Amino acid sequence: IYNTGYLTLFNCTVSANSAVGGYALVTDGGSFYLNGDGDGGGIYDNGTGGTVLTNCTLSANSAVGGSADPYDGPNNTNGGDGNGGGLYGAAYQVVSSTIAFNSAAGGNNYVGGYGGYANGGGIFLTQSGAFIINTIVSGNSVTVGFPYSGVGSATGPDVSGLVDYAR
């Protein structure tokens, strides 16, 4: 689900979806850019309105960063980041829900750059503003991309970012 406004879901299941980043764009001059990030495998919220989930289940969703282009070895492109396997964005209210068994994985790199980062297997918050009430957030995972050189990093297998209120 790609949300650009207000999203309210009640008694729902969002399951077995994925967001996958693409390869890097490399210019003729040898300049390189990061590969595409995979953000919000289950729900992506761009932060303009907000997402409200009540009595919902987000499970088995994934966010995977794009891998480095294997034919672009000299340019040292990096793997893209995987952020928010279940839920990605800014302002949430999650009540009486379950966010479980989602994953975020950084893109692999076999050609000279870094593997992509992985953040928030369950939830990735881009800014503060989340209220998580009577909700199970458990069993989510993060995996950094394979680093040919250097090391990517991972944060928060369940939640990455600042939660304003949780109980």
Side-chain angles (χ1 to χ4, degrees), residues 1-112:
I1 297 173
Y2 183 83
N3 179 35
T4 61
Y6 293 98
L7 176 67
T8 299
L9 298 175
F10 184 75
N11 289 339
C12 70
T13 298
V14 178
S15 182
N17 300 288
S18 61
V20 180
Y23 281 138
L25 170 66
V26 180
T27 66
D28 291 329
S31 299
F32 70 93
Y33 300 91
L34 294 176
N35 286 303
D37 294 342
D39 297 330
I43 298 173
Y44 176 95
D45 181 329
N46 74 353
T48 58
T51 297
V52 177
L53 304 176
T54 303
N55 198 32
C56 291
T57 299
L58 275 62
S59 66
N61 298 294
S62 62
V64 181
S67 292
D69 186 341
Y71 303 103
D72 191 42
N75 292 304
N76 295 321
T77 58
N78 297 320
D81 298 340
N83 301 307
L87 187 58
Y88 172 96
Y92 308 124
Q93 182 176 346
V94 183
V95 180
S96 300
S97 296
T98 300
I99 300 174
F101 308 111
N102 300 287
S103 62
N108 292 322
N109 181 321
Y110 303 101
V111 296

